[in-house]
Amino acid sequence: MIVVGAGMGGIYAVHRFVSQGLSVLGLEGAPDVGGVWYHNAYPGARVDIESANYCYFFDPELYREWKWSERYAAQPEILAYLNHVADRYDVRRHIKFNTYMVSGQWENEANRYSVTTEAGEVFTARYLVMTTGQLSKPRRPQFAGLDDFQGEWYQTSQWPHEPVELDGKRIGVIGTGSSGVQVITAVAPIAKHLTVFQRTPNYSVPAYNRAADTRKHKRLAADVEGVWKEILESPGGLILPPGRGHSGQYTYEQIQQMLEERWAFGGQSLLSLFSDQGVDPQVNEIVAQFVRERVMDTVEDPKTAETLVPDEYPIGVRRLCIDTGYYETFNRPNVSLVDLKADPIERITPQGIRLAGGEEIELDVIVFALGFNAFTGALDEAGIRNEHGVSPSDNWSRGPRTFLGLTTTGFPNLFLVTGPGSPSVLANMNVANVQHINFIGDLIDYMTNHGYQRVEPTIEAETDWTEHAASIAEPMLRRKHDNYMVHVNRDDDSRVFIPYAGGFNDYVARVQEVVDDNYAGFIFK
């Protein structure tokens, strides 16, 4: 078996598959474990799910012994945790680091993949498990004049591991998604001047980060198996305050009070307050307007506040940012905001950035926080081909098609961990990784016990699952607005929502039904 990627998913995959007696080779392009938590080492990087949920639960002793220092752990602590896990379970000896996969050819007669690395090494394996993640292939900056810039420029998604000197510099940050919000908040206090280049304002809510709750850790650690069961039965793969059901049963005043309570709790909980806020525009607008008013209350300059107010799309349509003082940052005298909708970037010059209106902003450092080529970026880069020379995404011209988000027709023994058609980016990714990998491990045991060498989904199972996922996503506001989770067919403007939107708990239950029915929907040979 070959496991590609050594982030949270890859580390567990190697451990899980080795533990069941399989011969495992891991391939990782970075010098060490960590995945996105290795590469995204930018200032301010931290998890936007509470640390107590964003970790492994497969070993109660591991959960008990590791004590997080913060409610929302920062990148260095998460990376230290992943290194600790890799050491504890001795997974590194099964992984080749500094090794990029560039092709994976299915050999039909041998029932194997032939995998070639960038260095020209060739390995063969019965199974190919892609734990490369859905938000791991960075978007490259595409700005005229970038090569002429005489200062330094960096990407949040590929931050250097050697020290980067930012103190006292004139810094420009392009992008105000999750990574942009975090790096902006972190560098503002040390910059001589920080210029934020914003195209579309995002909704951001406070994390209220603080020291980790030791009593909470003790309580969860006392029943790790029970906590894991509760997580598997939760819509997002994490423990949050329970939703309050349909908004229609409450008065406007009661709704406002509940919004205040969720705002005070912080984090992702605002998105799960009412069952209808993701499908009913009027209810969504109440939640969105609540956040907009918090922005106006926080930002002192009225023009800056107006520019920062997110009013172009419903809340929750794009990834909700979780911050540690983002809007307060714009009250600093050394921070300015550029509205790229009003005055776009014309080009990057040797001295900085020139806007279409003619203004040139001189900079020493430019930080690009541009996001990722989601879902297919890392998969396409791996160069996987079946016996007909087709790649998985070649069959997805009108939107991804998978069975359970884990397998796709025409590609035997290929597993796409947290792939399209699974809850993926809508759920706690670490929990989703573990659930997927456990399914794969159990499936391989089933194959071994029955003398099978290859497996793939039937066309009917893939079609049924794809149609089922589409029907669930049909009423969602998220599907109706452009974002990285939506595939748009430009010829007829039809829209395909890429992740499974039925909830992590519903997904887990449906996967279990497949297992209980002797893996119905799969063809074994």
Side-chain angles (χ1 to χ4, degrees):
M1 168 184 287
I2 290 178
V3 174
V4 184
M8 273 192 154
I11 291 170
Y12 179 70
V14 170
H15 168 67
R16 171 64 160 83
F17 299 144
V18 168
S19 297
Q20 69 185 77
L22 298 173
S23 173
V24 181
L25 172 65
L27 302 179
E28 168 57 54
D32 208 341
V33 299
V36 294
W37 292 111
Y38 178 89
H39 294 291
N40 287 250
Y42 59 87
R46 70 176 63 247
V47 68
D48 59 5
I49 291 173
E50 289 194 22
S51 311
N53 290 294
Y54 194 76
C55 52
Y56 297 112
F57 292 85
F58 67 88
D59 183 345
E61 187 54 38
L62 169 65
Y63 192 91
R64 283 191 282 268
E65 75 178 15
W66 183 272
K67 296 178 176 61
W68 296 101
S69 67
E70 294 182 283
R71 183 186 185 190
Y72 295 91
Q75 179 269 341
E77 187 171 15
I78 298 171
L79 189 59
Y81 173 72
L82 295 178
N83 276 275
H84 169 74
V85 175
D87 290 338
R88 180 185 176 97
Y89 302 101
D90 194 22
V91 302
R92 283 189 182 83
R93 65 189 178 94
H94 301 282
I95 302 172
K96 285 182 66 68
F97 294 102
N98 298 301
T99 302
Y100 284 95
M101 172 183 172
V102 295
S103 72
Q105 179 63 53
W106 173 252
E107 298 176 351
N108 204 45
E109 295 301 319
N111 290 329
R112 287 180 171 272
Y113 281 96
S114 177
V115 172
T116 304
T117 71
E118 195 173 49
E121 298 173 289
V122 179
F123 303 98
T124 61
R126 177 83 66 211
Y127 305 102
L128 181 58
V129 180
M130 304 300 293
T131 62
T132 45
Q134 310 310 316
L135 299 174
S136 57
K137 177 61 179 173
R139 289 180 183 158
R140 295 290 297 175
Q142 302 290 330
F143 292 93
L146 180 58
D147 291 340
D148 300 328
F149 184 55
Q150 295 178 356
E152 300 172 347
W153 65 270
Y154 305 96
Q155 287 182 267
T156 53
S157 52
Q158 292 182 317
W159 198 263
H161 279 253
E162 60 271 13
V164 174
E165 184 55 57
L166 298 174
D167 288 36
K169 299 288 183 68
R170 297 169 300 178
I171 302 171
V173 176
I174 300 176
T176 54
S178 289
S179 297
V181 164
Q182 291 182 337
V183 75
I184 287 163
T185 309
V187 303
I190 63 173
K192 179 179 181 180
H193 192 88
L194 170 64
T195 305
V196 176
F197 297 85
Q198 172 192 272
R199 185 179 63 178
T200 304
N202 278 316
Y203 294 91
S204 190
V205 301
Y208 294 119
N209 192 33
R210 53 184 178 266
D213 186 337
T214 56
R215 290 175 299 178
K216 180 178 180 179
H217 175 265
K218 186 176 181 180
R219 184 176 70 253
L220 297 178
D223 184 19
V224 176
E225 294 90 346
V227 173
W228 177 247
K229 183 176 184 294
E230 183 178 352
I231 284 175
L232 291 180
E233 294 174 351
S234 67
L238 69 161
I239 300 172
L240 287 172
R244 296 297 188 91
H246 197 280
S247 64
Q249 61 185 307
Y250 303 107
T251 66
Y252 178 80
E253 290 73 21
Q254 289 173 322
I255 289 174
Q256 291 299 308
Q257 177 61 37
M258 286 184 277
L259 286 169
E260 291 282 2
E261 291 169 358
R262 288 296 171 100
W263 185 267
F265 182 83
Q268 302 279 355
S269 65
L270 200 69
L271 290 184
S272 59
L273 182 53
F274 301 115
S275 59
D276 53 342
Q277 69 188 65
V279 295
D280 187 324
Q282 292 182 321
V283 179
N284 187 282
E285 178 61 18
I286 293 173
V287 180
Q289 184 59 26
F290 176 86
V291 176
R292 295 180 197 129
E293 290 171 1
R294 304 289 84 70
V295 178
M296 298 298 291
D297 290 343
T298 303
V299 181
E300 295 167 359
D301 178 64
K303 183 179 179 182
T304 301
E306 184 179 352
T307 304
L308 287 167
V309 165
D311 57 7
E312 298 182 24
Y313 57 90
I315 188 169
V317 163
R318 298 184 180 180
R319 185 185 182 101
L320 182 67
C321 299
I322 312 298
D323 70 72
T324 53
Y326 175 62
Y327 294 116
E328 292 84 348
T329 295
F330 292 92
N331 295 330
R332 300 180 62 91
N334 68 325
V335 176
S336 55
L337 179 65
V338 174
D339 181 2
L340 296 181
K341 285 287 180 67
D343 199 359
I345 293 173
E346 179 182 276
R347 67 178 293 113
I348 294 175
T349 69
Q351 285 75 40
I353 292 177
R354 185 163 67 234
L355 303 176
E359 180 184 4
E360 183 166 351
I361 300 168
E362 295 188 353
L363 299 168
D364 303 308
V365 178
I366 301 174
V367 177
F368 296 98
L370 303 177
F372 303 89
N373 293 320
F375 296 106
T376 59
L379 182 63
D380 287 344
E381 193 172 58
I384 299 169
R385 298 290 184 272
N386 65 12
E387 60 188 291
H388 305 296
V390 174
S391 74
S393 62
D394 286 342
N395 296 329
W396 298 349
S397 61
R398 302 196 67 78
R401 300 177 60 82
T402 68
F403 181 45
L404 306 179
L406 278 163
T407 59
T408 188
T409 301
F411 291 84
N413 296 8
L414 173 66
F415 298 99
L416 313 174
V417 176
T418 68
S422 79
S424 190
V425 295
L426 294 181
N428 179 344
M429 290 290 278
N430 185 46
V431 169
N433 275 318
V434 171
Q435 188 267 343
H436 285 22
I437 290 159
N438 285 342
F439 171 85
I440 296 167
D442 291 345
L443 174 59
I444 291 172
D445 275 346
Y446 177 87
M447 293 175 66
T448 301
N449 293 336
H450 290 78
Y452 297 129
Q453 294 188 357
R454 60 188 284 176
V455 61
E456 65 178 290
T458 66
I459 294 175
E460 293 78 14
E462 181 177 88
T463 298
D464 288 348
W465 182 257
T466 301
E467 291 177 352
H468 165 65
S471 68
I472 288 176
E474 177 69 26
M476 292 178 60
L477 296 175
R478 237 174 184 157
R479 190 189 65 83
K480 300 171 185 177
H481 294 261
D482 288 351
N483 62 87
Y484 78 91
M485 301 182 201
V486 177
H487 173 94
V488 181
N489 294 305
R490 297 300 176 187
D491 59 343
D492 61 1
D493 288 329
S494 60
R495 308 172 73 85
V496 178
F497 193 70
I498 298 173
Y500 182 77
F504 185 68
N505 51 342
D506 181 74
Y507 174 82
V508 169
R510 290 178 182 274
V511 169
Q512 190 58 49
E513 289 174 3
V514 170
V515 174
D516 292 342
D517 196 13
N518 292 316
Y519 295 95
F522 289 103
I523 301 171
F524 296 95
K525 295 183 180 178

